[in-house]
Amino acid sequence: AIKNAPPGFSYPGDPGFAGKSGINNQWGHFDPRIGLAWDPFGDGKTAIRVGAGIAHDYIEQDLHLNTSSVLPFRLTVVTTPGTTADFLGNPYPTGTPFPYNYNPKNPVYPDTSVAGCLTTTCPPSFLPVPANMQTHAQYSWNLAIQRQITPSLFASATYIGTHIIHLWNAVELNPGTLVPGVTPSAANLNARRVLNIAGAKLGNVTQYDDGGTQGYNGLLFSTNWRLRDNLTVNANYTWSRCIGLPLITLLNPGANYIHQGFGQNVGAADRNADVGDCAQDRRQVANITLVASTPKFANHMTNMIAGGWTT
């Protein structure tokens, strides 16, 4: 559809492009949930409960914020301190790119070479979204033992497990590589990029990646003690661990946590090397809650004013 686009780029109308959305439909999600409860002694005071379920997320619309502003549909110009641009006197040292209009019959794809590029962010960067990108899937399960110890004292112990797959992160398709005799630096990063060595003139080509995982295992102890009709004490203690890959927010080319090799810092492109404690990991959490309620009063006016309050 855009003949002068870089080799390997596809747009709506090109063979293999997923319709006009660029994302394949996903109708095969199956999210069952099951739960079982058992009274082992038949006295109504002990319960053993097990449960499991599967859930899927969906791809939100703001994922395509960057795809709507990509070349050649729209031109993004960013000037930064330290460049040859003069913010007031000469903001476009290589020529002004405006007015810029997208003509679908004759799309303009600016020269991406540093000498002929019309923007101050040359070479341009891109944020491709895989057509078969999967949504998050969560597998959850639990096992609980609950017991009424006395008429006013209840206790339970619950194991909770969760495994999440297809967490989104990013992989850099055009990372800097090691060039013999060249010391890696930010200044020569574009010249060392894999695709640029082969003849392309591109910046970051940061693609969404759905290969991240996280796993959670926790043990929850809970008690409920009714001191009297209007006074209750609840106590909870959780011992848990969450391990996986970090999460990202809205992705920007080259600006997020990326599993890439041979950038400014030389490293392997192995996402599993970045597995660690989740940002939301809290090994131990404890809380105690005291709930007191005022009683109902025989006098109607008194009951309206003072009855039914909870602290």
Side-chain angles (χ1 to χ4, degrees):
I2 301 176
K3 297 180 180 180
N4 54 347
F9 280 49
S10 62
Y11 293 87
D14 289 333
F17 194 88
K20 294 183 178 180
S21 66
I23 294 290
N24 296 329
N25 293 328
Q26 300 179 28
W27 299 107
H29 291 171
F30 178 59
D31 294 341
R33 292 171 176 80
I34 185 172
L36 299 173
W38 178 40
D39 181 357
F41 305 113
D43 58 1
K45 295 183 178 181
T46 303
I48 299 177
R49 305 177 188 272
V50 295
I54 303 175
H56 287 84
D57 203 348
Y58 63 94
I59 297 179
E60 61 271 19
Q61 185 63 30
D62 66 352
L63 174 71
H64 289 284
L65 174 64
N66 286 283
T67 58
S68 65
S69 61
V70 72
L71 286 172
F73 306 118
R74 196 178 78 180
L75 187 65
T76 301
V77 177
V78 179
T79 57
T80 57
T83 66
T84 57
D86 179 354
F87 292 119
L88 297 178
N90 183 26
Y92 310 111
T94 58
T96 176
F98 303 108
Y100 182 82
N101 298 302
Y102 171 65
N103 182 357
K105 295 183 179 181
N106 184 26
V108 177
Y109 212 99
D111 184 0
T112 57
S113 65
V114 174
C117 189
L118 296 178
T119 77
T120 55
T121 56
C122 295
S125 297
F126 295 88
L127 182 65
V129 180
N132 63 340
M133 189 168 69
Q134 301 296 308
T135 59
H136 316 317
Q138 176 175 301
Y139 299 83
S140 302
W141 57 93
N142 61 77
L143 169 64
I145 301 176
Q146 302 169 327
R147 176 67 179 176
Q148 180 183 358
I149 302 173
T150 70
S152 61
L153 179 61
F154 302 81
S156 68
T158 305
Y159 162 70
I160 304 170
T162 300
H163 183 63
I164 304 177
I165 61 175
H166 299 310
L167 286 177
W168 296 347
N169 211 287
V171 59
E172 181 58 50
L173 302 183
N174 194 27
T177 187
L178 294 177
V179 177
V182 177
T183 301
S185 67
N188 59 31
L189 176 59
N190 286 327
R192 293 184 295 106
R193 293 187 183 277
V194 174
L195 299 179
N196 297 5
I197 293 176
K201 296 179 175 63
L202 301 169
N204 291 99
V205 183
T206 306
Q207 177 175 273
Y208 270 96
D209 175 71
D210 60 7
T213 63
Q214 282 192 356
Y216 172 89
N217 291 279
L219 188 60
L220 169 64
F221 297 98
S222 298
T223 61
N224 180 278
W225 185 20
R226 299 174 184 172
L227 301 179
R228 56 176 69 94
D229 291 341
N230 303 102
L231 189 62
T232 302
V233 177
N234 297 306
N236 300 281
Y237 168 73
T238 302
W239 177 43
S240 64
R241 180 78 183 275
C242 178
I243 301 177
L245 285 173
L247 300 176
I248 62 170
T249 55
L250 186 64
L251 185 64
N252 287 305
N256 290 77
Y257 179 84
I258 299 168
H259 310 288
Q260 69 175 12
F262 308 116
Q264 296 179 37
N265 298 317
V266 178
D270 180 10
R271 70 167 67 91
N272 292 324
D274 301 309
V275 171
D277 296 336
C278 304
Q280 67 272 27
D281 181 51
R282 300 295 181 270
R283 301 295 175 82
Q284 302 186 66
V285 178
N287 62 74
I288 298 177
T289 305
L290 177 65
V291 181
S293 301
T294 58
K296 292 184 178 181
F297 297 95
N299 183 273
H300 178 69
M301 184 59 66
T302 303
N303 189 62
M304 290 182 60
I305 298 174
W309 289 90
T310 300
T311 303

